[in-house]
Amino acid sequence: MDKHAQEWLIPTPSRLKKQLRLRSMPWQMVSGIVLLVCLATVPLALVSRARSKTSTKPRVHLFQDMDNQPKYKTQSPSPIFADGRSMRPPVAGTVARGHLEGDDHYDRGFTMSKEGDAWSVSYFKGFPEQVVVDDALLQRGQERFLIYCSPCHGADGLGNGMVHVRATELKQASNGWTQPTDITTLGDREAGHLYNTIRNGIRTMPGYAAQIPTADRWAIVAYVRALQLSQNATLDDVPADKRDKIQ
Amino acid sequence: MDVTIQGSSQKFVFPAWINYLLPLVLILGAGGAVYVPSLVGYALNPTTLNVGYAPVQPVPFSHALHAGRLGMDCRYCHTTVESAGFAAIPPTQTCMNCHSTIHNDKVTLAPVRDSHATGKPMEWKKIHDLGDYSYFNHSAHINKGVGCVTCHGRVDTMDVVRQAKNLSMSWCIECHRNPEQHLRPRDQITNMTWDAQVDAGQPQLALGLDLKKKYGVHDAAYMTSCSRCHR
């Protein structure tokens, strides 16, 4: 036993106090633990950030389960076909069941006749017999008019819809934009003519056949008739008992 | 006590500060046992993983402009939503209805014009993507009074569309159990700001229960059966 140790073993009061005090942890250990606790909040911060922000990258898909099956769903792409579609367009020259469109009045709104070498088109004046013009049809027509027609023609049909307002704001007349027709002035157009315009378009207006099915086109024609009447109506046209409401 | 006697055998003696370390280890261990699983759960939560996906589309189409400022109805473009399971992404022709004469020289719209000229479809990125084993039907929901905004959020304010709801199974089930909390009249389906109290003058619950009966929405047992969504 060396001298140094011996000195330690002789308990004087001051030595005893020093010996009994628990020695503190080394600073490396303390700072290591503090660092570990601080670092533990980093993943939490990253997750919170991911949660509050948008991401342009596809979501993390940890558990695939059967989320993405090797099958084609509506409008999904396919590398098999040159145009990249899995939904195939009908073969040219074929007609799908229920899409024959064999009724001139209901499906086309006009007939064509030949005199000599010249073809002439005559539009049907009224509604086809399949179309019953009643309140339900007008309601449907109003709803469809507001969806498909009002962006350009306006809810009142006067040709001042929001798309026209925007096109005017952007000075698009130089690109070919023209103000939509005020359809309340077309009261003398045949119903078949209005129908054909919805289906095939006219001048700069494109056809809406792909967006509006046949029955809805006629509902819109009926509603356009109602707009034409209401926009050119006088107080005398309103039933006597309802005049108070609008006066 | 870290007093070792020189010349004695080489025994390891724990340093004195171990007495401090022991409670610390217990505290850190217990904390970690709560913290780590919570963190993993939070990170793998469908809301964390799914919400906020906003991919870059081939054309920077703004719903905020078209559906918001111009007030176009959702169905102008998504025409099949009332009659089919899938709410169709519009064909290029629908864009060209207006853009043949508006901004028909804009550079960002070049892919649309190319698509229209060549017949090659636009490749829009799908944002709301359910698992392929769930057979969601848009028309069924639309016709029973579930509005677009209920699942897609305020698309009319989004310049870039992002996923607003987590579309997890528990999120679907929540509504299938209590549809009355979310139903609205059919003619308000595409209205982004409709509110039962403000627009119908009734509390949502009362109106929802009426509509549930009116539209023939089934009871919870039917609505939460596995085969409603999985076939």
Side-chain angles (χ1 to χ4, degrees):
Chain A
M1 209 174 279
D2 63 19
K3 207 169 169 224
H4 180 74
Q6 265 177 350
E7 262 174 29
W8 265 98
L9 287 172
I10 300 163
T12 66
S14 70
R15 278 183 197 150
L16 202 63
K17 204 175 168 196
K18 214 172 182 181
Q19 272 177 312
L20 287 175
R21 198 197 302 141
L22 216 52
R23 285 176 67 191
S24 61
M25 285 164 69
W27 68 269
Q28 293 97 328
M29 181 67 84
V30 174
S31 51
I33 290 172
V34 169
L35 194 69
L36 193 78
V37 171
C38 289
L39 283 178
T41 61
V42 170
L44 179 67
L46 288 175
V47 170
S48 300
R49 184 174 170 276
R51 201 177 157 104
S52 62
K53 283 190 134 186
T54 60
S55 162
T56 55
K57 291 192 206 81
R59 66 214 72 191
V60 178
H61 220 124
L62 213 56
F63 306 109
Q64 273 295 322
D65 294 333
M66 288 172 75
D67 284 342
N68 297 299
Q69 300 167 13
K71 66 179 181 184
Y72 292 128
K73 303 213 290 186
T74 315
Q75 286 190 317
S76 55
S78 162
I80 296 172
F81 300 99
D83 63 3
R85 300 170 210 222
S86 61
M87 290 170 75
R88 306 308 306 151
V91 177
T94 63
V95 176
R97 271 175 179 270
H99 291 258
L100 185 59
E101 306 201 327
D103 186 330
D104 273 346
H105 194 166
Y106 183 67
D107 292 316
R108 268 176 286 283
F110 63 85
T111 51
M112 293 182 77
S113 49
K114 199 177 184 186
E115 276 176 49
D117 282 341
W119 285 94
S120 65
V121 172
S122 61
Y123 292 105
F124 290 97
K125 279 214 156 47
F127 287 84
E129 56 186 10
Q130 294 95 319
V131 178
V132 182
V133 181
D134 55 9
D135 189 49
L137 187 82
L138 286 173
Q139 296 283 352
R140 176 80 182 171
Q142 181 181 37
E143 188 188 66
R144 299 294 118 172
F145 182 89
L146 290 175
I147 296 171
Y148 297 108
C149 314
S150 72
C152 291
H153 289 284
D156 51 11
L158 300 178
N160 290 316
M162 280 303 292
V163 171
H164 174 63
V165 172
R166 171 89 175 150
T168 311
E169 188 182 294
L170 295 169
K171 300 187 171 53
Q172 291 297 307
S174 56
N175 280 336
W177 177 260
T178 45
Q179 179 164 15
T181 307
D182 174 358
I183 54 175
T184 62
T185 63
L186 303 177
D188 54 351
R189 287 278 162 86
E190 304 89 339
H193 194 163
L194 297 176
Y195 171 88
N196 179 60
T197 303
I198 297 171
R199 182 169 179 252
N200 295 317
I202 192 165
R203 295 185 292 275
T204 53
M205 173 183 154
Y208 276 75
Q211 279 156 282
I212 312 174
T214 308
D216 284 343
R217 291 172 215 156
W218 284 111
I220 291 172
V221 172
Y223 182 68
V224 166
R225 283 280 184 255
L227 271 183
Q228 289 165 348
L229 283 174
S230 65
Q231 292 296 323
N232 298 306
T234 62
L235 195 60
D236 296 335
D237 296 324
V238 182
D241 55 326
K242 289 192 175 145
R243 275 176 209 172
D244 294 347
K245 276 193 178 174
I246 54 172
Q247 248 174 340
Chain B
M1 300 275 155
D2 63 341
V3 180
T4 51
I5 315 294
Q6 279 201 353
S8 65
S9 59
Q10 293 278 311
K11 270 187 191 156
F12 176 77
V13 179
F14 278 106
W17 49 262
I18 284 293
N19 286 13
Y20 288 119
L21 196 63
L22 184 67
L24 205 61
V25 165
L26 287 177
I27 291 169
L28 286 179
V34 176
Y35 179 70
V36 173
S38 309
L39 182 67
V40 171
Y42 187 54
L44 297 183
N45 187 292
T47 304
T48 309
L49 292 183
N50 298 348
V51 172
Y53 177 43
V56 178
Q57 300 286 2
V59 168
F61 175 84
S62 168
H63 279 81
L65 172 64
H66 291 82
R69 235 179 104 192
L70 299 182
M72 291 168 71
D73 194 284
C74 310
R75 293 165 288 189
Y76 183 91
C77 299
H78 304 292
T79 53
T80 65
V81 72
E82 296 164 296
S83 53
F86 191 78
I89 302 304
T92 306
Q93 176 57 52
T94 305
C95 310
M96 295 303 280
N97 280 356
C98 296
H99 288 293
S100 57
T101 51
I102 299 176
H103 274 330
N104 53 6
D105 48 2
K106 203 173 181 180
V107 177
T108 48
L109 283 171
V112 172
R113 290 191 294 272
D114 289 349
S115 165
H116 192 244
T118 61
K120 212 167 172 340
M122 294 285 301
E123 290 187 29
W124 301 103
K125 293 215 173 69
K126 191 173 168 69
I127 298 169
H128 297 82
D129 193 12
L130 294 177
D132 282 0
Y133 41 74
S134 54
Y135 291 78
F136 178 83
N137 189 317
H138 273 94
S139 71
H141 290 80
I142 293 292
N143 291 316
K144 300 279 181 186
V146 182
C148 309
V149 70
T150 305
C151 306
H152 293 285
R154 287 294 302 276
V155 176
D156 65 323
T157 64
M158 298 180 193
D159 272 318
V160 178
V161 172
R162 62 182 180 275
Q163 186 166 331
K165 302 292 162 102
N166 69 38
L167 305 191
S168 69
M169 180 167 149
S170 68
W171 176 83
C172 295
I173 290 277
E174 191 272 318
C175 185
H176 272 223
R177 285 198 184 113
N178 305 299
E180 59 275 0
Q181 299 284 6
H182 304 278
L183 297 182
R184 57 174 69 200
R186 271 182 203 144
D187 59 2
Q188 298 298 327
I189 284 301
T190 57
N191 187 341
M192 289 279 146
T193 55
W194 183 86
D195 179 82
Q197 198 66 60
V198 176
D199 296 297
Q202 279 193 71
Q204 174 64 48
L205 193 63
L207 182 71
L209 285 170
D210 278 354
L211 291 174
K212 192 179 164 188
K213 202 175 279 178
K214 189 176 165 194
Y215 296 155
V217 176
H218 292 273
D219 59 16
Y222 181 94
M223 293 274 285
T224 55
S225 154
C226 305
S227 58
R228 286 292 75 70
C229 313
H230 307 296
R231 288 155 197 175

